[in-house]
Structures are given as structure tokens and as C-alpha cells.
Amino acid sequence: MKVKVRGFEMAYDDTNGSGVPLLLIHGFPLDRTLWAAQVRGLADVARVIAPDLRGFGESGMPTGSVTMDTYADDLRGLLDALGVKNAVVAGLSMGGYIAFAFYRKNAARVRGLILADTKAGPDSPEGKKGRDDNIALARAQGAGAVGDKMMPKMLTPKTAAERADIANAARAMMARQSVAAVVSALEAMRDRPDSTPTLAEIKAPTLVVTGAEDTLIPPKEAEAMRDAIRGARLVSIPGAAHLANLDQPDTFNAAVREFLKLVA
Ligand code: MLT
């Protein structure tokens, strides 16, 4: 499905059933198909809404620079267009950075937060340099080259070796993104603010999720968020790396189901 939001066509899945609205924000350099197993597996307990961020997947790419606030405003526009007053907002990795921006601007619309394989802090100087390197790589060799570089951290070695379906889906998802979307997201991540001060302000029920084997954003980041957000709970997913929901969908969905019982 597509809807016009803030000057571009935003593509999204919406199970449109009963239950609490659950907004799923994908990571980088991915699209809404990241959440296929959640759209399928949680539709009986939630109205699952999974958009493609601007430029990614099947969404349009308006001109102009992009920040985490830009993505957050697009998502507010989507909820407005769908008539959704408040939602459980779930973000994986870059999706988590966006969830923080969304919370800062729209706390009253956040019924709960799910922060998966993400972190609150900004990029270090080396991290910023890595963004610039990846921007140059994407411009020179395309999005697939950035994906190839990231691939070893996305799934556990076991999943990558034994689950060709999952590995191929992840690789193809990263390869099909446009250079414009990838570059603008890298700039937005490089320049994103520190969300650490936000943690103490979060009043929404919060679930923190980490792949136990995530080396891109290690579990200690999840523990720090759990400790800093009042009442937050942490679920560590065994046998999962960075894309925990793709790697181990059943365990991930079970954690979300438990959490949704608290906020429904
Ligand atoms: C993501 O998975 O969204 C990104 O890799 C996060 C990041 O690079 O900081």
C-alpha cells in the first residue's frame, strides 16, 4: 500500500486488524520486508504497520537533506494518514535512533517503545569517519558494496551458513536500496544527536531487545538502555546477531507478544 506523506509516496504494510497499533521501523540499509515475519506472526495481537522509510524499499525519495527528525516526522505523517492516534513504536538499529526522535517530538503518541539492537549514544569520531567511508563506497560502487561490508555482522555465522533463505533475503534487501537513500541515511546517522539524555525522560513502557551475538551494536548497549529507562525490561535473543528479528523470528515475536500484553 502507498499513501502520500509530506510530499512523497510512502509504501507500507498494514494488517489493519484489531489490537494495539504496532509501528515497525526498519534499520539501515534495509526496508520494510525486514519485518515480514513480524507482520505475519503478530497480526493476531496487533495492528502491524511497517513502512519503508523515505527513499528505501518502495517509498519515494524527495530531495533535501535528511535527519532522524525527518524520518520521525514522516512516520507521524503516516500515523495521521492512517488515523492512528497512538502506537507501540518499535525500531531496530537505525529504526531505534528514529524511535528516540519520534519519542522526543510525540511522546503522547507512544504507547510503548521497543528498542531492538540499537543504542542511545551518537557516533564516535571513528564512527563518523566510517560513515564518510561508506558514503564514498556507496557512491563509487553502489548500495550492494555497503551491504557486503555489513553482511558478516547482520546474522550469526550459523544462520548465514545454514539458512540460505534468510541470508539471501538480507543480502538482497541491502543490495536493492538506492544510493541516494543510503547516502542520506548515512549522513543522518553520522550527524544524529546523542539520545542518552532522552532515556531518563521516557515514561512509556519499554522493551529492549538484543541479539545475544550482536557485534555491530553489542548487548552492553542494550543493558545500558535497560538500566537508564525506568521500568524497562531486556530480552536477549540467543543465536541472533544484529538482525535479531530476522535471525530468530519466533523468539523475537514471543518477546513482543509478552510486552504487548502489558500495553494493550
Ligand atoms: C542499522 O542496522 O540500522 C545500522 O547499521 C546502524 C548503524 O550503522 O549505526
Side-chain angles (χ1 to χ4, degrees), residues 93-118:
S93 200
M94 181 178 80
Y97 311 156
I98 298 166
F100 287 128
F102 188 93
Y103 188 84
R104 282 192 287 273
K105 299 187 120 206
N106 312 283
R109 298 184 71 164
V110 179
R111 206 143 141 186
L113 263 182
I114 301 176
L115 302 169
D117 297 280
T118 192

Side-chain angles (χ1 to χ4, degrees), residues 2-74:
K2 283 193 180 178
V3 66
K4 186 110 187 243
V5 166
R6 291 178 11 102
F8 71 101
E9 294 281 326
M10 186 170 226
Y12 64 100
D13 292 319
D14 179 2
T15 59
N16 213 354
S18 56
V20 62
L22 172 64
L23 176 68
L24 300 175
I25 314 173
H26 64 77
F28 169 90
L30 306 165
D31 60 34
R32 71 186 197 275
T33 64
L34 171 71
W35 300 112
Q38 284 67 49
V39 172
R40 246 190 341 264
L42 296 169
D44 61 325
V45 286
R47 173 180 176 181
V48 189
I49 301 166
D52 284 331
L53 295 169
R54 63 167 60 201
F56 289 93
E58 297 174 312
S59 282
M61 180 73 192
T63 52
S65 64
V66 174
T67 66
M68 292 302 147
D69 281 350
T70 312
Y71 292 129
D73 290 346
D74 293 346

Side-chain angles (χ1 to χ4, degrees), residues 104 120 193-202:
R104 282 192 287 273
D194 184 5
S195 291
T196 311
T198 305
L199 301 178
E201 287 162 20
I202 293 174

Side-chain angles (χ1 to χ4, degrees), residues 10 13 22 32 56 93 100-101 109 121 139 144 151 161 163 166 179 197 219 237-238 242 251-252 255 258:
M10 186 170 226
D13 292 319
L22 172 64
R32 71 186 197 275
F56 289 93
S93 200
F100 287 128
R109 298 184 71 164
R139 286 193 173 128
M151 190 62 197
R163 293 293 307 271
I166 293 178
V179 171
I237 312 266
H242 189 56
T251 321
F252 187 95
E258 273 308 299

Side-chain angles (χ1 to χ4, degrees), residues 26-30 92-95 97 117 119 123 131 150 154 186 189 192 216-217 242-243:
H26 64 77
F28 169 90
L30 306 165
L92 183 130
S93 200
M94 181 178 80
Y97 311 156
D117 297 280
K119 64 180 177 184
D123 276 3
R131 303 294 187 198
M150 295 177 69
M154 292 304 206
L186 285 164
M189 289 195 286
R192 76 186 187 280
L216 204 155
I217 300 183
H242 189 56
L243 303 183

